[in-house]
Amino acid sequence: MTEYGMQTSSHDAPPNEERTALRKSPASGPAEVIQEHIVEIVSDSGEGAQRCGQSLASIAARSGHGIWTVEIIPAEIQPPHRSIAGASGNRVRMAAHKVTNVGDKADLVIAFNEQVLLSRLNANEIKPGATILIEEMWKCDKDPAVAENYEKVTAEVRSKGYKLFEIPMQTECQKYVPDPTKGKNMFVLGILCTIYSLDTALAEAQVRLTFAKKDQKIVDANLELLAAGQAWAAENLSVRYMIPAAPVVKPQIVTNGNAALALGVVASGMEVCSMYPITPATSASHYLSTIFEKVGCVVHQAEDEISAATFAIGASYAGKCAVTITSGPGLSLKQEAIGLAVMTEIPLVVIDVQRGGPSTGLPTKVEQGDMMSAMFGSHGDAPKVVMAVDSIEDCFYSVITARKIAETFNMVVVILSDAALSTAQQPFDRPEFNPDWLAPPVNQSAVPEDAHPYDWDERTGIATRFIPGQPNGMHCLTGLAHDRDSHVAYDPQINEEGLLNRSRKLAALQKTLRLAPVYGDEEGDLLLIGWGSTRGAIEEAVKIMRAKGHKVSSLHLKFIQPMAAGIDAVMKRFGKVMTIENNWNDPESDPLIDPSNRRYSHLAMLLRSRWLVDVDCWGNARGQPLKPAEIIEAAMAKLDDKKPTAGGQ
Amino acid sequence: MTASMSQCLMQMVQTDYQIADYQSDITPRWCTGCGDNAILTAMQRLCRDEQLPPEKTVCVSGIGCASRLPHYMNAYGFHGIHGRALPIAEGIKIRRPDLSVFVTTGDGDCCSIGAAHWIHAVRYNMNMTMLLHDNNVYGLTKKQASPTSPKGLKSNTTPFGATLNPLNPLSVTLGISNVSFVAQVPDWIPELLYDVLSKAYHHKGFSFIRILQRCPNFMNHHFDAAVQDPLRVRMLTHADGLRLKPELSRIYKNQETHDPLDLNRAQALAMLDEEIPVGVLYSNPHVPCYDELRKGKRPSTPQLVETVLNEEFDKVGIWPEGQQATSNGE
Ligand SMILES: Cc1ncc(C[n+]2csc(CCOP(=O)(O)OP(=O)(O)O)c2C)c(N)n1
Ligand code: SF4
C-alpha cells in the first residue's frame, strides 16, 4: 500500500469519447497485482447488492484473502427508488494480508443507478480516480428527467477523473431471467469475479450456498447469471486485478460481529437470552433464535427493555447467568434493573451494541457513546464490569469471559460492541470447543446451617449466592440496603459494608487483569489509546506512521471497568498521549471552548481523572467508523502540536 | 399451578411442614388491621396444606407495602423494583418448572408502573399465581391516588378529589388474550381468601387474583359498606369454582351460580356497579402456557452445545486445501 492507503491504479483513464470502445475491447495483458482493494456494491434496497457483496467477500475469504466487509444501510426500510438516502449495499475490503478495519476510501464502485452512486460520492467515500461501474439502462429511460439525471451524474464523474464503465446490466440479465431486478446482483458478482481474477469453482460454490434454501431452478438461474457476468466482463472490460492470496493454513470461520456474539452466547453456557428488538443489536438475537432452541435454550422477546432485563435477572437468580442484548436507548431503560442486579448481586450479562445517540440518534450508525452510561448509568454507587470488544473474533470470546466473570463475582458485566462490528465480517480461526466455557450445573445442594446469603469474603468481596431449590438457603433478595442475612437494614454501617464489598469485587477482578501489550515500541513521542471497534484502524494507522519513522505506538483497552494496572507507567514513556474514540469531544477550535469547559471523549475523561495525566483526545461522531487515514492526520497534528481539526474534518 | 414430580417426591420424604415453617424470622411491619396480614396468613396456610418445600417456593414482588410480603415468608423471595415483579417471576419460571412461584403486588405496582407487564403476563400465561393487593391507594409513599382509586378520592396528589374514573383490574384482565384465571376476593373473609388462593394455585397457567385489601392507615372505612353489608357481596359459586360452606352461605345470601368458563358473564360481573363479585370469574385450564411452549425439547448438555456450534461453524467455514467440513451444515 502506498502512502495512507492512497492506492492509485496504473490503469489509464480512457478519454470520454473512447469509453464505449474500451468497453468493447477484450481483456488485454495480465492482471495488475495489487496488495488490497476496497470495493463497494450499491443498489436500491431489494436489488441484492448486500448479498452480492457478502458473496464476493466469502469467495475472497475462501480464496485466502484477508477481508473486512461492512453493510451500507439505508435509513429506512423501503426508501424511494433511485434515491440518495436509499443506497444499500456492501463495502468489501480485500487484501493479501489480514484486514482489521473498513479502510479508507473505495477503489472500485459498482452502482445499480446514478443516485446511489451519488450518495457514496457525497459521503466522500470514494477515492479520487477510482474505477466506477454503472448500470447504463437509465440513459434511455422513458422518463426524460431520469435520463437527464443519469447523464448529469455520469458526466460529472468523468470530468472529475474517475474511470467510468457503463454496463448494460438490465439488457444482459434479461437474456436469462424475466425480472433482472432479482438477478443483477449475481451478474455483478460474476463481473467482480472476473475483475479480481477469482476462482470460478469457488464462486459457483458460493452461489450454491447463498441459494441453498431455494429450489434448483433458482440456483441454476443464478449460476447462469454468474457465468454471464464473468463472460461479459472477460469480453468487454479491460480492468483486471490480482490480489495475492495466502493459503489458508488453519480452519477459519467468517461471521459478522453480531453472529459472533450469538455464537458466544451459545458457547458460554448461558441458557436464557431475553431481549427487545433494537437496531443494530437485533440481528444477534435473530441469529441466536435460529440456534438456541437446538441446544435446549430460549430467546425471549420481552414486552420492553425493562422486562427484558428483569426477566434475565429472574432467570439468572433461578440458576445460570442470563444475557440481555440491546443498544443505547434500551440500555437507558435497563438501568434501574441493572442497579437491582448490582444490589442483589445477581450475575447478569448485558450486551450493548452501541449506535449513535443521544435519544433515538443514528439507529444504524456507529458511535462509541455509551461507555459512561454503561459505567455510571444506574443511580447510586453501582459497580459493574464494563468490557469492550475489539474484533469480530473478540465478540465470540468476550461473551464466554463475561459469563464467567458475572458468575464468579456475582456481578453485572456489560459488553460494549457497536454498529461497526455488528454487520462487519471478518474471517478468524475456527474456535475449538472447550467444555470449560460452559457454566457448571445449577447448584442445588443444601446450604450449610450457619451460612448467610451475603457472607462477603473480605479479601474479595464475593459472597456465595444461594439459588432457589437449595435447602436451608431461603432468604429474600432485596434492592433495599441489606445486611448479611439479606434483611432490610438502613443502619449506616451496614449500608457501607454492602457498598464496600460490592466495590471490592471490582478491585479483586482488577488484580487478575493484565494490560494488553503496547502496539509498537514501548516508548516514543505519541501514544494513542483506544477501546472497542477502533482497534484495527488505530493499529493500521500506527503501522503506517511507524513505517515512515514516526515514534508512535498504541494501547488498546479491553477492560474499561475495572481497568488493568500499569497504564500510568506506559503513558509516562511517551511524550504525548491521546485517545482515539468514535464519540464526541468538544473541538478546541470552537471560540466558546477553552480548557475550563472542554468536554473530552469518554476514555480520555477517565484516564485524566484517574492518572492526572494530560491525555488529549481525538475522534468524531459522524456515524462512520474511524478510518486509518483520519487517525494518521490527527496523530500527525498532535505530533506537530497543531490543534487537531474539529471532529476530524 | 400443578405440583411437579419432584415436589411429590419431596412430599414423600417430608410431609410435616407446619405454618411456622413458612414464617420468616422477621415480624411483619404492616399497620394493625392492614389487609396484607390476612393475605400473608392465607399464603402460609396454602403452603402448609400443599406441603410446599420452602426451598422450592419463590415469592416475587415489586415495591410497596404489599411487596414486603416475601420478607415475611420463609421461602425464597425476590423483593424487586417498582412494577417489575412479573418479568422477574417469568424469568425465574422459564427454566425452573420445579419451583412454585407467587407474585405479590400493589395496585400502583401492577396497574400503573407495571401495567405493561401485567398485560403481557396474562398473555404469556405462565404457571404462577399473582396476588394483586388492591387497596385503591399508594400506601408506602403515603397516600397518593392509584389507578384504582375511586373518582373523588382526596389524596395528597388529588387534594380536591381524584378526577378520573378508576381502572377496573378485573375487566382489563378478562379482556387480555390468553387470560386463563381471574378471581376476586376480599381480605376480610379469611375462609374465602384461602379457597380462592387454593383454586388459583391449582390452576394450570397464570392465575390472577384481585384482593380487595383494607388500608386502615390511608383508606379507613373505605370498604366498610361491603364489610358491613353482606348483600353487597355477590358470591359466585360453581362446582368448578367456589363452594360456600353452610356457615358462609347463611351470611352471604346474594349468590349466583357462575360457570367459570363463561367469559361473557364474567365480563358482565366484573362491571357490576353496586355489588362486589367474589369468587372465580374465569378459569380455563386449556390455554397454552408460554413456559411449556418454550420448554427446551432436549436438555442443554456440553455435547449438544459442541455439536450445534460445529454445525454453525461449518456453515461459515473456510478450510485449508484438502481439509473439509466435519458436517454439511446446510
Ligand atoms: C421507579 C420508582 N418510582 C417510584 C417509586 C416510589 N414508590 C414506591 S411504592 C410506590 C407505590 C406503591 O403503591 P402500591 O403499588 O399501590 O402498593 P401499596 O404500598 O399500596 O401496597 C411508589 C410510587 C419507586 N420505588 N420506584
Ligand atoms: S399503609 Fe395501608 S397498605 Fe400500607 S401497611 Fe399500612 S395499612 Fe397496610
Side-chain angles (χ1 to χ4, degrees):
Chain A
M1 201 158 55
T2 53
E3 187 178 309
Y4 303 170
M6 289 287 283
Q7 179 86 42
T8 43
S9 162
S10 64
H11 182 87
D12 289 326
N16 293 350
E17 53 285 1
E18 272 178 38
R19 66 187 191 274
T20 338
L22 184 141
R23 203 182 79 190
K24 292 272 151 54
S25 77
S28 55
E32 179 191 348
V33 177
I34 53 174
Q35 289 307 301
E36 70 157 275
H37 239 207
I38 297 174
V39 184
E40 287 195 354
I41 303 126
V42 274
S43 68
D44 279 353
S45 67
E47 287 185 311
Q50 290 196 347
R51 183 172 269 184
C52 173
Q54 281 154 5
S55 303
L56 175 70
S58 292
I59 299 164
R62 281 169 211 275
S63 317
H65 294 127
I67 59 147
W68 186 279
T69 74
V70 261
E71 287 177 10
I72 297 161
I73 308 168
E76 301 154 44
I77 297 286
Q78 281 191 313
H81 286 305
R82 297 175 34 80
S83 67
I84 289 178
S88 162
N90 228 302
R91 160 182 279 221
V92 184
R93 186 178 179 196
M94 306 186 279
H97 45 80
K98 184 178 173 182
V99 183
T100 60
N101 64 87
V102 299
D104 295 309
K105 292 181 182 178
D107 300 281
L108 184 143
V109 181
I110 187 157
F112 289 37
N113 67 61
E114 84 290 348
Q115 294 301 313
V116 293
L117 170 64
L118 205 52
S119 141
R120 304 308 292 160
L121 288 165
N122 290 352
N124 201 14
E125 294 284 4
I126 303 175
K127 201 174 276 186
T131 304
I132 293 176
L133 299 95
I134 191 163
E135 156 72 285
E136 67 173 15
M137 65 184 272
W138 312 107
K139 190 156 48 180
C140 328
D141 199 88
K142 283 193 294 283
D143 181 349
V146 168
E148 194 183 312
N149 270 329
Y150 176 87
E151 288 300 346
K152 202 175 112 201
V153 173
T154 47
E156 193 182 316
V157 162
R158 265 185 227 111
S159 72
K160 287 197 172 150
Y162 293 102
K163 293 183 278 292
L164 186 78
F165 298 93
E166 292 174 287
I167 303 184
M169 296 184 196
Q170 181 86 3
T171 325
E172 288 299 316
C173 291
Q174 252 159 2
K175 296 180 187 163
Y176 307 94
V177 279
D179 177 12
T181 47
K182 290 251 156 53
K184 269 184 202 174
N185 59 344
M186 290 299 119
F187 180 78
V188 166
L189 181 65
I191 292 179
L192 290 167
C193 286
T194 298
I195 292 180
Y196 289 103
S197 319
L198 292 166
D199 183 65
T200 302
L202 280 178
E204 286 171 354
Q206 182 58 40
V207 171
R208 284 197 194 92
L209 195 70
T210 305
F211 297 95
K213 293 210 176 90
K214 299 276 158 61
D215 62 54
Q216 193 58 39
K217 263 198 214 136
I218 296 185
V219 178
D220 290 344
N222 280 291
L223 284 170
E224 236 180 340
L225 286 160
L226 174 81
Q230 286 174 305
W232 189 88
E235 199 162 309
N236 298 289
L237 288 176
S238 56
V239 237
R240 288 290 183 288
Y241 297 110
M242 230 291 288
I243 303 172
V248 181
V249 287
K250 266 179 156 183
Q252 309 254 298
I253 60 170
V254 190
T255 76
N256 65 32
N258 277 0
L261 286 170
L263 289 166
V265 169
V266 175
S268 75
M270 288 191 279
E271 295 182 3
V272 172
C273 166
S274 64
M275 49 71 67
Y276 187 78
I278 184 164
T279 307
T282 322
S283 66
S285 306
H286 288 175
Y287 177 47
L288 189 60
S289 300
T290 66
I291 51 176
F292 217 22
E293 275 188 25
K294 291 189 203 163
V295 289
C297 302
V298 58
V299 176
H300 169 64
Q301 179 180 331
E303 58 270 23
D304 56 32
E305 277 92 351
I306 297 173
S307 39
T310 43
F311 189 103
I313 292 170
S316 278
Y317 163 64
K320 295 181 183 174
C321 179
V323 59
T324 182
I325 307 181
T326 192
S327 185
L331 181 68
S332 293
L333 281 173
K334 287 176 206 276
Q335 293 287 10
E336 191 195 7
I338 288 173
L340 174 69
V342 170
M343 188 60 148
T344 52
E345 303 190 44
I346 295 300
L348 176 69
V349 174
V350 179
I351 299 177
D352 173 17
V353 184
Q354 301 165 93
R355 65 192 220 178
S359 191
T360 314
L362 300 167
T364 58
K365 310 234 182 255
V366 63
E367 189 179 309
Q368 297 181 305
D370 297 353
M371 180 198 279
M372 289 292 171
S373 63
M375 292 172 73
F376 305 119
S378 275
H379 54 279
D381 189 62
K384 61 194 86 81
V385 179
V386 179
M387 54 197 283
V389 291
D390 59 27
S391 69
I392 308 294
E393 181 176 26
D394 196 31
C395 288
F396 177 79
Y397 290 106
S398 289
V399 185
I400 298 169
T401 309
R403 201 276 305 154
K404 278 221 165 114
I405 294 173
E407 286 202 294
T408 307
F409 291 87
N410 293 331
M411 287 193 101
V412 176
V413 181
V414 184
I415 298 177
L416 295 173
S417 180
D418 62 40
L421 288 175
S422 63
T423 57
Q425 285 189 299
Q426 185 194 32
F428 59 91
D429 286 350
R430 179 183 171 123
E432 264 178 58
F433 178 75
N434 178 348
D436 289 345
W437 290 345
L438 305 178
V442 177
N443 184 3
Q444 293 287 276
S445 63
V447 168
E449 288 291 350
D450 55 350
H452 305 269
Y454 291 102
D455 272 337
W456 291 298
D457 180 332
E458 59 185 40
R459 289 163 309 167
T460 59
I462 299 173
T464 307
R465 72 185 181 109
F466 306 161
I467 294 169
Q470 284 191 270
N472 302 335
M474 288 81 74
H475 66 290
C476 182
L477 284 190
T478 178
L480 288 165
H482 48 264
D483 61 17
R484 287 176 176 250
D485 284 317
S486 196
H487 290 170
V488 175
Y490 300 147
D491 178 283
Q493 269 163 310
I494 294 176
N495 189 43
E496 287 210 319
E497 187 186 20
L499 284 161
L500 174 63
N501 283 298
R502 291 189 296 272
S503 189
R504 266 182 179 148
K505 296 192 288 185
L506 273 185
L509 170 61
Q510 194 253 11
K511 299 279 181 229
T512 70
L513 300 181
R514 263 174 306 153
L515 192 61
V518 172
Y519 183 84
D521 283 345
E522 290 278 342
E523 54 181 36
D525 297 332
L526 175 63
L527 177 70
L528 305 179
I529 308 185
W531 61 284
S533 66
T534 50
R535 178 174 187 163
I538 294 174
E539 291 182 355
E540 185 169 322
V542 167
K543 190 174 174 189
I544 293 167
M545 292 180 75
R546 293 184 63 78
K548 294 169 69 188
H550 299 292
K551 294 195 166 70
V552 180
S553 301
S554 66
L555 180 67
H556 214 75
L557 302 184
K558 163 108 217 133
F559 281 87
I560 307 300
Q561 180 165 278
M563 235 181 236
I567 297 173
D568 51 336
V570 176
M571 291 194 293
K572 279 200 192 105
R573 294 197 291 266
F574 288 85
K576 290 169 187 165
V577 183
M578 176 163 80
T579 67
I580 302 289
E581 303 178 58
N582 210 347
N583 56 31
W584 179 253
N585 69 76
D586 282 337
E588 286 175 285
S589 53
D590 189 286
L592 267 183
I593 304 300
D594 62 43
S596 75
N597 64 14
R598 181 176 180 209
R599 294 172 65 238
Y600 284 80
S601 281
H602 296 210
L603 181 59
M605 216 186 302
L606 283 182
L607 293 172
R608 292 173 70 87
S609 69
R610 177 168 302 277
W611 300 114
L612 307 178
V613 169
D614 187 13
V615 178
D616 197 357
C617 56
W618 177 86
N620 62 46
R622 294 153 46 82
Q624 300 298 324
L626 298 184
K627 298 188 170 145
E630 327 176 86
I631 297 171
I632 291 170
E633 194 184 317
M636 288 305 295
K638 184 72 193 169
L639 276 175
D640 299 347
D641 242 345
K642 279 187 272 168
K643 296 271 176 249
T645 46
Q649 39 213 287
Chain B
M1 269 188 264
T2 46
S4 72
M5 273 289 287
S6 54
Q7 276 177 11
C8 296
L9 282 175
M10 287 300 290
Q11 280 172 15
M12 282 157 60
V13 180
Q14 182 182 13
T15 48
D16 58 349
Y17 292 116
Q18 302 301 315
I19 293 280
D21 291 320
Y22 301 100
Q23 292 170 334
S24 78
D25 47 0
I26 304 169
T27 325
R29 297 199 187 130
W30 290 306
C31 306
T32 318
C34 174
D36 290 339
N37 292 292
I39 300 170
L40 174 65
T41 306
M43 277 282 298
Q44 289 165 336
R45 197 181 140 198
L46 177 85
C47 291
R48 192 262 328 261
D49 289 357
E50 300 297 335
Q51 287 292 296
L52 302 182
E55 69 270 16
K56 293 279 193 181
T57 307
V58 187
C59 299
V60 187
S61 65
I63 298 292
C65 294
S67 295
R68 286 298 182 103
L69 187 141
H71 285 281
Y72 310 137
M73 290 285 297
N74 185 42
Y76 277 88
F78 201 142
H79 178 207
I81 42 177
H82 196 25
R84 323 299 173 194
L86 286 167
I88 293 174
E90 291 153 9
I92 293 171
K93 193 71 191 177
I94 193 80
R95 306 284 294 166
R96 293 295 304 268
D98 58 315
L99 301 174
S100 297
V101 177
F102 297 89
V103 176
T104 51
T105 170
D107 39 307
D109 203 50
C110 168
C111 308
S112 194
I113 192 169
H117 311 312
W118 163 32
I119 291 175
H120 290 276
V122 172
R123 184 170 154 256
Y124 297 139
N125 192 39
M126 295 176 73
N127 273 296
M128 60 177 74
T129 303
M130 167 180 164
L131 295 83
L132 168 60
H133 302 213
D134 191 353
N135 56 4
N136 290 190
V137 76
Y138 284 17
L140 193 74
T141 45
K142 300 193 164 66
K143 199 173 189 183
Q144 298 83 22
S146 98
T148 60
S149 292
K151 190 170 172 180
L153 178 79
K154 290 198 164 61
S155 77
N156 285 317
T157 46
T158 56
F160 310 109
T163 45
L164 296 174
N165 277 326
L167 177 149
N168 182 334
L170 294 178
S171 51
V172 170
T173 310
L174 286 166
I176 301 168
S177 309
N178 288 346
V179 58
S180 78
F181 185 99
V182 179
Q184 172 159 277
V185 68
D187 73 43
W188 57 86
I189 317 176
E191 273 304 307
L192 289 189
L193 181 57
Y194 173 82
D195 285 350
V196 166
L197 188 56
S198 169
K199 279 272 167 225
Y201 172 74
H202 286 284
H203 171 74
K204 182 174 153 295
F206 183 76
S207 319
F208 175 89
I209 315 174
R210 181 201 193 192
I211 303 171
L212 303 174
Q213 178 233 323
R214 289 168 301 172
C215 168
N217 199 19
F218 295 125
M219 300 289 276
N220 209 2
H221 307 304
H222 179 57
F223 289 114
D224 276 7
V227 176
Q228 283 155 13
D229 178 5
L231 288 180
R232 294 283 291 268
V233 173
R234 184 173 310 183
M235 290 294 177
L236 309 178
T237 60
H238 194 269
D240 297 333
L242 265 194
R243 275 178 279 190
L244 284 189
K245 293 213 178 82
E247 311 88 84
L248 281 176
S249 207
R250 272 195 297 277
I251 304 170
Y252 295 96
K253 296 207 174 64
N254 178 4
Q255 297 180 9
E256 173 177 333
T257 312
H258 167 64
D259 178 357
L261 275 170
D262 186 347
L263 187 57
N264 285 336
R265 182 63 195 149
Q267 273 289 11
L269 289 166
M271 306 278 261
L272 284 180
D273 217 15
E274 293 296 307
E275 295 175 27
I276 297 170
V278 166
V280 181
L281 283 94
Y282 187 65
S283 173
N284 178 355
H286 304 298
V287 182
C289 300
Y290 186 71
D291 40 343
E292 292 178 4
L293 294 171
R294 300 303 310 272
K295 201 164 78 187
K297 290 184 186 57
R298 31 189 168 166
S300 181
T301 61
Q303 292 74 10
L304 196 53
V305 171
E306 180 171 12
T307 308
V308 169
L309 279 177
N310 278 325
E311 276 171 20
E312 294 307 308
F313 294 160
D314 283 353
K315 287 183 195 168
V316 291
I318 299 174
W319 287 268
E321 208 151 347
Q323 278 186 37
Q324 247 322 314
T326 45
S327 76
N328 178 2
E330 282 175 20

